[in-house]
Amino acid sequence: MHSELLLKAAAQFGTGTPAFYSMPGGFTRCDYGEGKSPALLLQCINRRTIPLPENIIGNYQLIKDYLQHQRATINMAELVQTHHQKLYWMDDYENFWLAFELPAQTAHHEVLGQPATAYSTAKFFAGFTRSLTGLDVALVSMIAPGHHELGTIFQQFEAAISTGKVMRLLRATHVISELRQRRYLLRFSNRLADATRYPTRIMNHDAAIENLLFSSGNGQPLLVINFQRLMPGKFFSDPGELIRTGVSPVDENSTAWEDIAVRPAFYEAIVSGYLDGAGGLLTAAEKQDIHFAGLAICCIQCLRFVTDFIRNDIYFSTTYPEQNLNRALNQLILLEKLEDYLQSTHHFSAEG
């Protein structure tokens, strides 16, 4: 992020001469100096990814008020107002800026360092959704419609192939072929239309460790700090995203193909943590299909990356020409490794 733009953003929310520190999850820590405004976390949201970021504020206020009324033990970080008493600032490039309070004695992590942390993180996200059970999902705005709708994302993938340039399609042949063989995940997605067995719930939809603040004392999760996709959805989204981002020792940008793996202790910690955090919330069908969660989200992210590659990299930021294709291959390998693990350890059947 350009330093001049960061300075302008920091000036909207606090007073002092700020020092900036890059943090996990795209956040920037802003320290204004002793005797000045308290430290905070800045988040910049691009309208290309979230067309109506104003809905984030509406959802935040609705859910924050509900949690306070319910006296919930799980909560969200406090948004900081600008000097003009707004909860966001829009810059000249139409970037949408939020600032979060950074309470004392908190920590912000980038990776699930231990299975115990994976368990507590998954349990926290499940507890967050459980805390919102009584809130009418119809009141919550759909910030990113279709975000985890596999059928829609498959259609976008096929549409991109139909108009894609030959050279890009040739380079992506292997990924395209393998994804077309994952139709069993479409069958799983189609089952989710049964609202009795698979209720629509309020989910974070970006469940990852960098989107929480932890206690620096006992190491437990304290607050959700990212809710740019906090909206209604289906049960698989949050556990699936935790599995996708947490079970492999390398992230989605890695091209060390041989290092992509499923770490059993992390996988089991995420699943058990999520089920324990959900308590009696999940239906019998949701519990039965819990192992589809990671598979579906890995497939979705692979589809997104290869679709963007075919479309000439118009959505995800890249630093070299074939990065989106390599990201797609990374996610495909993780999907394959996850399939192998579930078949060998949980006797998983693609038909559910």
Side-chain angles (χ1 to χ4, degrees):
M1 181 63 64
H2 195 280
S3 58
E4 182 179 347
L5 199 52
L6 276 173
L7 285 168
K8 286 183 178 179
Q12 308 303 312
F13 297 99
T15 303
T17 303
F20 300 112
Y21 306 91
S22 294
M23 303 294 285
F27 292 95
T28 300
R29 177 179 174 134
C30 178
D31 289 346
Y32 290 94
E34 188 174 352
K36 302 296 182 180
S37 297
L40 50 78
L41 287 176
L42 289 172
Q43 183 183 32
C44 180
I45 298 172
N46 192 318
R47 282 185 178 272
R48 185 177 63 175
T49 58
I50 306 292
L52 294 173
E54 295 86 349
N55 287 342
I56 297 171
I57 303 299
N59 285 354
Y60 166 81
Q61 292 174 318
L62 174 70
I63 291 170
K64 185 78 171 173
D65 289 347
Y66 178 81
L67 290 172
Q68 289 177 346
H69 184 264
Q70 296 295 314
R71 298 182 180 179
T73 57
I74 289 178
N75 216 325
M76 301 186 291
E78 295 284 348
L79 281 177
V80 178
Q81 288 188 339
T82 68
H83 298 303
H84 299 288
Q85 285 72 56
K86 290 187 175 182
L87 290 175
Y88 67 92
W89 174 64
M90 191 83 69
D91 66 26
D92 294 337
Y93 303 96
E94 293 195 341
N95 293 310
F96 192 86
W97 292 82
L98 303 176
F100 300 88
E101 286 185 4
L102 193 57
Q105 305 301 314
T106 56
H108 191 196
H109 303 305
E110 187 170 11
V111 296
L112 296 170
Q114 299 293 331
T117 306
Y119 175 89
S120 63
T121 299
K123 185 176 181 180
F124 187 90
F125 276 112
F128 182 72
T129 291
R130 182 163 53 88
S131 297
L132 298 172
T133 302
L135 181 59
D136 185 355
V137 297
L139 299 176
V140 183
S141 297
M142 290 296 295
I143 296 172
H147 179 63
H148 280 163
E149 292 179 6
L150 190 55
T152 299
I153 296 166
F154 249 111
Q155 289 174 3
Q156 294 167 349
F157 162 70
E158 293 291 355
I161 292 170
S162 68
T163 59
K165 295 182 179 178
V166 172
M167 291 307 297
R168 291 213 168 212
L169 293 174
L170 287 173
R171 292 201 291 274
T173 296
H174 172 67
V175 175
I176 291 170
S177 175
E178 289 297 321
L179 285 170
R180 284 174 165 169
Q181 294 179 45
R182 265 62 187 191
R183 297 288 174 177
Y184 76 91
L185 290 172
L186 273 177
R187 292 192 290 274
F188 159 69
S189 180
N190 291 337
R191 290 206 298 270
L192 301 178
D194 185 339
T196 301
R197 301 176 68 215
Y198 305 96
T200 298
R201 308 186 185 283
I202 301 168
M203 316 278 294
N204 183 272
H205 285 98
D206 203 0
I209 191 170
E210 66 259 28
N211 292 328
L212 298 179
L213 287 178
F214 288 74
S215 167
S216 55
N218 62 19
Q220 293 300 302
L222 289 177
L223 297 166
V224 178
I225 57 169
N226 187 355
F227 23 86
Q228 62 176 303
R229 291 187 176 88
L230 178 57
M231 60 186 179
K234 297 297 182 176
F235 82 99
F236 73 95
S237 176
D238 284 359
E241 190 64 29
L242 284 164
I243 291 166
R244 186 186 78 83
T245 59
V247 299
S248 179
V250 295
D251 71 12
E252 64 192 24
N253 289 300
S254 176
T255 55
W257 314 122
E258 67 281 0
D259 292 338
I260 300 169
V262 173
R263 295 177 292 179
F266 284 81
Y267 181 88
E268 301 303 331
I270 290 168
V271 172
S272 61
Y274 200 85
L275 291 174
D276 289 349
L281 175 67
L282 300 183
T283 66
E286 289 172 321
K287 292 176 184 177
Q288 180 179 333
D289 284 347
I290 191 68
H291 294 301
F292 276 97
L295 297 167
I297 296 296
C298 286
C299 183
I300 284 171
Q301 200 58 50
C302 183
L303 283 163
R304 283 202 179 115
F305 284 141
V306 75
T307 298
D308 199 36
F309 173 75
I310 294 168
R311 289 176 171 171
N312 299 309
D313 307 314
I314 60 175
Y315 186 83
F316 295 106
S317 297
T318 58
T319 57
Y320 63 90
E322 295 202 351
Q323 187 171 15
N324 274 327
L325 180 58
N326 284 336
R327 287 165 169 164
L329 183 56
N330 173 300
Q331 294 296 281
L332 176 61
I333 293 171
L334 181 57
L335 174 58
E336 292 171 340
K337 294 290 182 69
L338 190 53
E339 289 171 332
D340 291 344
Y341 173 74
L342 291 174
Q343 288 165 6
S344 62
T345 305
H346 290 275
H347 308 293
F348 175 80
S349 168
E351 299 304 321

